[in-house]
Amino acid sequence: MSTPTPPVVRTERIGSTLLITLDRPEARNAVNAATATALAAVLDELEADPALRVGVLTGEGGTFSAGMDLKAALRGESPDVEGRGFGGLTESRPDKPLIAAVEGFAMGGGFELALACDLIVAAEDARFGLPEVKRGLIAAGGGVIRLPERIPHHLAMEFLLTGEPVDGRRAGELGLANRVTGKGQAVAEALRLAERVASNAPLALAAVKRVVRAAEGASDEEAFAFQSGEMNTLMASDDVREGMTAFAERRPARWTGR
């Protein structure tokens, strides 16, 4: 009788948050084909379930992710999912907010997974780096594109041209991390942050993400036109009426996502 293959991505529902854990600690949670496929499926689950409002992505064993599984790549495996990029995440456009909870290494593709999330919580001793140039590559999972949008140009270029990492405390100073915690506390803080995000209207959260994406590289006219369409949809929703009523009645809103 064969032994069942252990899952490479685990999930746990905590209230309206889905805690997503990369579970290959023996490989520092490096992403192979199975991990990418599994993570893409989990993100679909998050998007499809109205009871879930926020996802928190982390790694097992004190490491977020060492990036691409080079041994698997040499065997011909791809860590990409067609149309969704590295790990099934970096080129996807989920509507629900994602928070990266980073302990230990977030290197190469691991850093790019964190950059693909909306918020980052980092332990002070976490390590963020894009060492691809040391291997004859570039950070093609979003690092070269996203990092210069998140921090000043010259600081981003230092990451990209030297391949040298920084710790979580420095990531916080650079504005890469929303919260910096003590060692082993990143997930707990990310879950607290997720609870605060999830207390808000789900339709509005999704609209924020869509408008931010649409505004990237767009003219003001284009961005405001797109935003106007989103606002019209929100104003016709039950959630807007509930939000206004709850404010008037001085009570927490009861969102339905409609």
Side-chain angles (χ1 to χ4, degrees):
M1 183 175 178
S2 62
T3 303
T5 303
V8 291
V9 178
R10 292 186 289 104
T11 61
E12 179 183 357
R13 291 170 178 247
I14 302 172
S16 58
T17 298
L18 186 66
L19 178 61
I20 305 164
T21 305
L22 304 177
D23 195 8
R24 299 187 70 217
E26 75 286 351
R28 291 188 173 181
N29 301 318
V31 177
N32 59 4
T35 305
T37 301
L39 182 55
V42 166
L43 293 173
D44 285 343
E45 175 189 345
L46 172 64
E47 288 291 291
D49 191 335
L52 294 171
R53 302 283 178 82
V54 183
V56 171
L57 178 64
T58 192
E60 181 61 42
T63 293
F64 184 73
S65 174
M68 179 172 64
D69 186 329
L70 296 179
K71 293 180 181 179
L74 288 171
R75 294 194 298 268
E77 289 188 27
S78 172
D80 294 354
V81 173
E82 186 175 357
R84 302 178 69 154
F86 179 80
L89 171 59
T90 61
E91 295 176 37
S92 67
R93 291 181 166 243
D95 276 345
K96 293 184 180 177
L98 287 175
I99 304 173
V102 180
E103 296 277 354
F105 289 103
M107 303 296 288
F111 190 3
E112 291 172 314
L113 290 176
L115 287 171
C117 294
D118 302 294
L119 305 171
I120 298 176
V121 175
E124 60 189 0
D125 62 341
R127 301 287 284 175
F128 294 87
L130 295 169
E132 281 82 355
V133 290
K134 295 177 180 289
R135 300 170 190 141
L137 299 169
I138 65 171
V144 173
I145 295 169
R146 289 195 170 107
L147 192 58
E149 297 175 345
R150 309 293 168 79
I151 62 175
H153 172 84
H154 295 99
L155 297 176
M157 293 302 286
E158 184 174 346
F159 271 99
L160 295 165
L161 297 178
T162 69
E164 296 298 321
V166 302
D167 63 20
R169 189 175 297 278
R170 178 59 174 158
E173 293 170 351
L174 294 174
L176 279 170
N178 298 81
R179 306 278 192 278
V180 178
T181 74
K183 182 178 180 180
Q185 299 301 310
V187 171
E189 181 62 27
L191 289 172
R192 285 190 287 269
L193 186 55
E195 187 176 0
R196 293 183 64 182
V197 172
S199 69
N200 297 311
L203 293 180
L205 295 175
V208 166
K209 292 193 62 173
R210 287 193 294 269
V211 172
V212 168
R213 286 195 299 255
E216 293 174 358
S219 67
D220 283 355
E221 182 179 2
E222 292 167 335
F224 276 100
F226 183 88
Q227 179 178 265
S228 179
E230 291 289 341
M231 278 296 294
N232 289 339
T233 300
L234 290 174
M235 290 303 294
S237 70
D238 292 342
D239 274 0
V240 159
R241 287 188 288 276
E242 168 61 13
M244 293 178 178
T245 302
F247 177 79
E249 296 178 354
R250 298 184 179 182
R251 61 169 174 79
R254 296 184 288 268
W255 310 116
T256 63
R258 297 193 298 271

